[in-house]
Amino acid sequence: MAQQITRLLPLRDIPEKEIINDFSYNASSGEAGTFVKVIAMNLSEDPVQYTASSHFVNTMGNATSEYPEVVYKVGPTDGTGDAGKVLGMMLRDVREVDENGEKLLFYPRKKEELQCLLSGEAVPIAKRGIVDITARGLAGGVCPNINDAAVLSSNGKVTGVAFSALTTEQRNAVVGKFVGTGIRVSQKTTDAFAGIYAKLVFSIN
């Protein structure tokens, strides 16, 4: 079974007009379901540049292989201190290799099966929608309560806090609310997403 790194389950409702496609992720690995902020966007630069890349391994010494890269970058939000900076939620994983260590650059079909992108490629970022988020996207893997506020946490994750208990700092860092919770249990075959999950309605202004 393919290695799963995503924070999202397949069921989601995201309007196409709420998706931004102008940025790439600022690391070689990232998980769908991560809340991100803008790290770099210098409009004086071309949005796509060719750079030497680890995607290619050159052992000949007399050749140069360059790879197109979106130079506008996003990275994960880092808790309530990033209130007001959050751009949206990343909808695709970012990874270089599959579970066998094979470079996905040379296996586009496998890349699509894994629903991922290579580093440097433009990653879809949603400003609002409804998603099912797994424990990987919840701070400490703790399941929220229904109607809890979704508050920014470290590494692009969110945590559930009762609206009545929000501090001023947390209130400024609310990105949505949880409207349902549940537990996935493996049956005849192993469920790669077994464990707690929650339905999150999010909206970024």
Side-chain angles (χ1 to χ4, degrees):
M1 177 173 52
Q3 178 189 18
Q4 301 291 346
I5 66 172
T6 182
R7 298 176 180 182
L8 299 179
L9 295 176
L11 183 62
R12 62 191 70 174
D13 183 1
I14 298 176
E16 189 67 29
K17 66 180 182 179
E18 301 295 349
I19 297 178
I20 300 169
N21 293 290
D22 297 329
F23 299 87
S24 63
Y25 194 60
N26 70 335
S28 60
S29 178
E31 302 176 10
T34 298
F35 282 93
V36 294
K37 62 183 177 182
V38 176
I39 300 297
M41 191 177 192
N42 183 352
L43 297 178
S44 298
E45 296 180 326
D46 290 334
V48 177
Q49 297 180 6
Y50 284 85
T51 61
S53 172
S54 60
H55 291 298
F56 295 95
V57 178
N58 174 23
T59 58
M60 299 300 292
N62 297 312
T64 298
S65 295
E66 294 186 325
Y67 190 80
E69 178 180 359
V70 176
V71 296
Y72 303 156
K73 297 291 183 180
V74 293
T77 54
D78 193 24
T80 55
D82 279 339
K85 297 180 183 179
V86 60
L87 179 67
M89 175 190 286
M90 199 160 65
L91 296 179
R92 289 258 185 151
D93 296 331
V94 175
R95 56 196 298 177
E96 304 295 330
V97 299
D98 67 8
E99 70 280 7
N100 300 311
E102 298 290 338
K103 286 182 175 290
L104 289 170
L105 174 67
F106 306 114
Y107 297 96
R109 179 177 175 180
K110 182 64 174 290
K111 187 176 73 166
E112 284 304 309
E113 289 175 351
L114 292 174
Q115 292 288 286
C116 67
L117 297 165
L118 301 175
S119 63
E121 292 184 326
V123 60
I125 299 167
K127 288 177 60 65
R128 55 182 53 87
I130 305 173
V131 296
D132 287 345
I133 190 166
T134 70
R136 295 180 70 99
L138 300 170
V142 177
C143 190
N145 295 311
I146 293 176
N147 291 322
D148 271 359
V151 179
L152 290 176
S153 187
S154 61
N155 194 27
K157 298 183 180 183
V158 285
T159 187
V161 180
F163 276 93
S164 60
L166 288 170
T167 65
T168 299
E169 185 179 37
Q170 289 174 330
R171 190 174 298 278
N172 292 333
V174 171
V175 293
K177 65 179 177 181
F178 296 101
V179 297
T181 61
I183 300 176
R184 293 173 64 94
V185 180
S186 294
Q187 312 253 334
K188 293 183 180 179
T189 58
T190 300
D191 189 334
F193 303 105
I196 63 167
Y197 72 103
K199 187 170 292 291
L200 171 64
V201 179
F202 69 98
S203 179
I204 311 300
N205 296 323

